[in-house]
């Protein structure tokens, strides 16, 4: 840049900095963010990087380097005459806060059985070498560790307002979970990934009669996919895909709601009439605790022959439609008498029955067992 432009730019900067209008709006400058490297360097006796950052980023006022908030706030004379100890005091306070966060986080990690010293060293190596992330902890756990001890500038105030011990305990539990998830994913003998390319379907249909909880419905969708259900019929207030409660349902279904075919009916009677007309080969079974209920293992469920070909249309084979009712009132009492059978699961506790999402897979797998279904 030509000398004349440098002089002009410097004069303009001083004029703007001394303007009363500008001084009335203190600018909170971007201070150097002390990251994990800075913390660990200090612990190992190396000089803080904050001094170097101020040298690089802070504006120059009359030949002296100060933090941005000192140079651009208050009066011009205050900015020029501000002692360097102000910035040093801020750094000292920040160092104490980081040290306290580190001590409490390591304490809670140790309580959870996590090797805090090894994790700290892993964070240091990940930030200062090209070795990558330690396989014992994984990338997510190490990043979570660093993000609490040395948060981004935008997060500093929020973390400062929170009780250190409470926050450290929460971060420790998160780090512990992330480490376990990483090890589980890395274990070759543990299967967490959907690898099946073909979904088997059986003549098994679920009817959800005004089931209220989207979490329960999502769980039932997962069970239905695992059991190869042909279809799910939802009725009334039951959350369903592309309808009310779809987002909450998806949280527990984890994609199963897009796999298992489904359709919605305004009333359970409409669903009953649909099955009688379109699926006359299905035995309609209600799951409810009544005086007429049979133990679910004693009923013989009609179904395909054990040697039936997989390419047979399951909609044309004999099978079962299970009716599951509301969490409080159960299956509609006007519908129960019109079903072919009613089954129940015995309870040995004080509660009369199981949660509806827990009942569904118990009976579905019993049906598959009777049908002689085997995983190939």
């Amino acid at each position: 840049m030509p000398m004349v432009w440098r002089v002009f730019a410097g004069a303009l900067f001083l004029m703007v900095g001394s303007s009363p209008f500008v001084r009335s709006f203190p600018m909170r400058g971007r201070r150097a963010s002390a990251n994990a490297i800075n913390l660990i360097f200090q612990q190992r006796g190396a000089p803080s990087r904050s001094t170097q950052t101020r040298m690089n980023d802070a504006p120059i006022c009359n030949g002296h380097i100060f933090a941005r908030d000192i140079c651009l706030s208050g009066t011009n004379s205050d900015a020029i005459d501000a002692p360097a100890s102000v910035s040093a005091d801020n750094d000292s306070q920040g160092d104490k806060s980081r040290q306290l966060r580190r001590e409490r986080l390591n304490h809670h990690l140790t309580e959870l059985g996590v090797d805090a010293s090894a994790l700290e060293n892993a964070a240091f190596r990940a930030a200062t070498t090209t070795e990558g992330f330690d396989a014992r902890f994984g990338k997510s756990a190490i990043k979570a560790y660093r993000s609490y001890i040395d948060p981004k500038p935008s997060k500093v105030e929020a973390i400062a307002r929170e009780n250190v011990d409470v926050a450290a305990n929460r971060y420790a539990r998160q780090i512990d979970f992330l480490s376990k998830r990483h090890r589980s994913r890395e274990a070759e003998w543990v299967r967490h990934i959907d690898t099946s390319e073909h979904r088997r379907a059986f003549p098994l249909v679920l009817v959800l009669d005004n089931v209220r909880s989207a979490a329960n419905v999502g769980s039932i969708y997962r069970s239905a996919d695992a059991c190869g259900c042909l279809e799910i019929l939802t009725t009334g207030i039951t959350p369903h895909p592309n309808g009310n409660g779809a987002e909450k349902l998806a949280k527990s279904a984890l994609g199963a709601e897009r796999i298992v075919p489904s359709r919605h009916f305004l009333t359970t009677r409409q669903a009953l009439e649909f099955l009688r007309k379109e699926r006359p080969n299905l035995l309609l079974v209600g799951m409810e605790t009544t005086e007429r209920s049979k133990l679910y293992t004693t009923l013989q469920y009609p179904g395909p022959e054990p040697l039936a070909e997989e390419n047979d249309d399951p909609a044309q084979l004999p099978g079962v439609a299970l009716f599951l009712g509301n969490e409080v009132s159960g299956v509609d009492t006007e519908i129960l008498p019109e079903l072919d059978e009613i089954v129940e699961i015995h309870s040995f506790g004080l509660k009369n029955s199981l949660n509806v999402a827990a009942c569904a897979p118990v009976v579905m797998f019993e049906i598959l067992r009777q049908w002689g279904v085997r995983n190939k």
Side-chain angles (χ1 to χ4, degrees):
M1 177 186 294
M3 181 60 67
V4 63
W5 286 109
R6 294 184 183 180
V7 173
F8 176 76
L12 181 62
F13 175 80
L14 291 176
M15 291 173 61
V16 173
S18 62
S19 170
F21 178 78
V22 173
R23 290 201 307 271
S24 65
F25 294 92
M27 295 178 61
R28 183 170 188 152
R30 184 181 56 187
R31 293 192 59 202
S33 61
N35 56 21
I37 305 175
N38 182 33
L39 170 67
I40 301 173
F41 273 147
Q42 292 178 35
Q43 293 168 359
R44 296 175 182 234
S48 170
R49 294 180 60 200
S50 58
T51 301
Q52 177 184 354
T53 308
R54 288 197 305 275
M55 293 288 291
N56 294 334
D57 292 348
I60 300 177
C61 300
N62 284 6
H64 300 282
I65 298 177
F66 301 104
R68 290 179 184 269
D69 53 351
I70 297 176
C71 285
L72 299 180
S73 63
T75 65
N76 198 40
S77 59
D78 291 340
I80 296 176
D81 297 334
S85 60
V86 173
S87 181
D89 290 343
N90 291 338
D91 284 345
S92 176
Q93 196 67 25
D95 291 344
K96 291 179 180 178
S97 298
R98 289 193 296 272
Q99 182 63 20
L100 179 59
R101 289 196 298 270
R102 171 184 170 274
E103 290 176 356
R104 299 315 301 162
L105 179 58
N106 287 355
H107 168 76
H108 288 294
L109 286 171
T110 302
E111 284 187 333
L112 294 173
V114 179
D115 190 338
S117 178
L119 178 56
E120 186 174 341
N121 288 331
F124 173 74
R125 292 195 306 274
T128 59
T129 71
T130 59
E131 296 177 7
F133 295 94
D134 194 313
R136 291 175 294 175
F137 305 105
K139 179 179 180 180
S140 297
I142 291 175
K143 290 184 68 175
Y145 181 87
R146 289 163 53 182
S147 69
Y148 177 64
I149 295 180
D150 284 286
K152 296 180 180 179
S154 59
K155 301 288 183 66
V156 170
E157 287 190 8
I159 290 181
R161 289 194 300 267
E162 191 173 10
N163 181 281
V164 174
D165 205 54
V166 172
N169 183 36
R170 185 179 69 252
Y171 268 85
R173 287 185 278 110
Q174 179 189 16
I175 292 169
D176 181 44
F177 166 75
L178 293 173
S179 297
K180 291 176 178 177
R181 186 182 68 176
H182 169 76
R183 291 193 297 269
S184 179
R185 288 177 174 177
E186 292 296 310
E188 296 181 357
W189 56 277
V190 179
R191 186 173 66 244
H192 289 298
I193 302 175
D194 301 328
T195 57
S196 178
E197 298 179 355
H198 173 66
R199 178 178 183 269
R200 300 179 64 185
F202 305 99
L204 179 58
V205 175
L206 297 184
V207 181
L208 307 186
D209 174 16
N210 289 282
V211 178
R212 176 185 54 81
S213 168
N216 283 337
V217 175
S219 178
I220 291 172
Y221 266 88
R222 291 242 3 230
S223 298
D225 175 51
C227 293
C229 278
L230 177 64
E231 190 176 21
I232 292 181
L233 310 184
T234 58
T235 73
I237 65 171
T238 305
H240 55 283
N242 302 318
N244 293 333
E247 293 183 357
K248 293 183 179 180
L249 181 158
K251 291 182 179 180
S252 53
L254 295 179
E257 78 282 4
R258 300 190 301 269
I259 298 174
V260 182
S262 64
R263 65 184 76 200
H264 186 75
F265 294 88
L266 184 62
T267 67
T268 305
R269 180 165 297 281
Q270 291 177 355
L272 174 64
E273 293 172 353
F274 167 81
L275 290 173
R276 290 296 190 194
K277 180 180 180 180
E278 303 295 333
R279 302 279 193 272
N281 51 327
L282 298 181
L283 179 74
L284 307 187
V285 180
M287 295 178 58
E288 190 57 80
T289 52
T290 72
E291 295 180 354
R292 292 177 287 175
S293 299
K294 299 178 181 178
L295 181 61
Y296 76 101
T297 55
T298 61
L299 180 64
Q300 295 298 310
Y301 302 95
E305 296 295 328
L307 299 180
E309 296 292 335
E310 287 190 30
N311 56 5
D312 290 343
D313 183 3
Q316 305 303 320
L317 299 174
V320 177
L322 291 176
F323 283 68
L324 306 170
N326 179 270
E327 291 88 342
V328 176
S329 58
V331 179
D332 188 348
T333 53
E334 292 186 355
I335 297 297
L336 282 173
E338 300 187 33
L339 302 180
D340 300 321
E341 298 284 355
I342 303 176
V343 298
E344 66 179 1
I345 300 173
H346 286 176
S347 172
F348 302 98
L350 296 179
K351 302 300 293 182
N352 178 62
S353 62
L354 287 171
N355 173 272
V356 62
C359 291
V362 171
V363 179
M364 285 193 292
F365 276 108
E366 169 61 18
I367 293 173
L368 296 181
R369 186 194 67 82
Q370 290 192 16
W371 289 352
V373 175
R374 296 290 184 271
N375 186 30
K376 296 185 178 180

